[in-house]
Amino acid sequence: MTSSIKNIFTNIAVVLPMAMLFFACADNYRRVGEEAGKKIFPQGIANNFVLTYTETVDELGTQDLKSTKVIAVLTSPVSEDFQNLRFPYRTFPNGLVLDVYDKDSQKSVVKADYGIMYSLTNLIDLQGNVVIETHDGKRLEAPQLYYDQNNEWIFTQGEFTYTNPEDGTVMDGEGMDFNRNLSFFKAHKTYGLMMIKEELK
């Protein structure tokens, strides 16, 4: 009986200091000043945002009336403007749709659940159910894509599915990069289904 009481007291003597140690480690410190997390608010919010990109063949002067050509139209339910920060950007928290027109005015469509446009680097980060549909029926689906506006180059290191109805292929893979109109496509790792048409003689 005395040894079991001794064991109980020993266990209490071990457990009590350990419990006090864990409770003493709780972080109740209120951060202020430089170490406090700073809340960032947009300098402006636009509802039913529409941005039209145009270009001209020749540079326009101050009095010129030459016509311009629409090359892209970006629409989004909400756009948040953080251009006042040291590294400025614009977000599209409720998704976006980008209509892109080629030199023959044929439209391709890009859709995403979320987007960030970085002003200094001209990089667009598209996230969540990203879908690109070209005018000729090609379709690319990915959870995330990056678009380099300066080089008109799209890339990702994540998973993707590429469907090409012209040759009946469906390609799945990880990591790829390609130009804006999908005429050059380089996949890093692929696996998928390809239909081969056989000519009968």
Side-chain angles (χ1 to χ4, degrees), residues 20-52:
M20 290 172 53
L21 178 66
F22 284 122
F23 286 120
C25 291
D27 185 6
N28 296 326
Y29 176 70
R30 185 168 162 259
R31 284 167 174 73
V32 295
E34 288 295 319
E35 64 183 14
K38 294 178 181 175
K39 292 183 180 178
I40 300 174
F41 297 99
Q43 71 174 358
I45 298 175
N47 291 317
N48 302 317
F49 180 82
V50 178
L51 180 61
T52 303

Side-chain angles (χ1 to χ4, degrees), residues 31-193:
R31 284 167 174 73
V32 295
E34 288 295 319
E35 64 183 14
K38 294 178 181 175
K39 292 183 180 178
I40 300 174
F41 297 99
Q43 71 174 358
I45 298 175
N47 291 317
N48 302 317
F49 180 82
V50 178
L51 180 61
T52 303
Y53 294 91
T54 60
E55 70 177 1
T56 59
V57 177
D58 301 315
E59 186 176 332
L60 292 176
T62 56
Q63 301 290 323
D64 284 343
L65 297 173
K66 293 178 184 175
S67 61
T68 60
K69 179 181 176 184
V70 175
I71 57 171
V73 178
L74 174 64
T75 58
S76 177
V78 177
S79 173
E80 297 177 337
D81 184 356
F82 296 91
Q83 300 294 334
N84 57 331
L85 299 178
R86 190 173 294 168
F87 190 71
Y89 60 94
R90 180 182 293 275
T91 63
F92 304 94
N94 296 341
L96 61 90
V97 176
L98 178 64
D99 297 330
V100 181
Y101 299 90
D102 65 11
K103 61 183 179 180
D104 299 320
S105 298
Q106 296 174 312
K107 182 174 79 170
S108 298
V109 181
V110 180
K111 297 179 182 176
D113 292 343
Y114 182 82
I116 305 175
M117 184 185 303
Y118 297 101
S119 302
L120 291 180
T121 59
N122 279 328
L123 187 73
I124 300 174
D125 179 1
L126 302 171
Q127 302 174 18
N129 299 312
V130 182
V131 177
I132 299 176
E133 293 177 320
T134 62
H135 64 88
D136 55 358
K138 294 172 185 166
R139 182 180 173 96
L140 179 72
E141 301 167 77
Q144 185 172 26
L145 285 177
Y146 298 97
Y147 177 51
D148 180 350
Q149 295 180 88
N150 293 338
N151 299 308
E152 296 187 342
W153 204 252
I154 303 165
F155 59 94
T156 184
Q157 294 301 318
E159 297 177 349
F160 69 90
T161 299
Y162 175 63
T163 306
N164 187 349
E166 288 178 358
D167 52 11
T169 58
V170 178
M171 181 192 313
D172 294 316
E174 293 176 27
M176 54 86 193
D177 54 293
F178 55 94
N179 61 357
R180 191 175 84 172
N181 57 7
L182 291 175
S183 60
F184 176 85
F185 188 93
K186 178 183 173 188
H188 304 175
K189 179 180 177 184
T190 62
Y191 35 91
L193 171 68

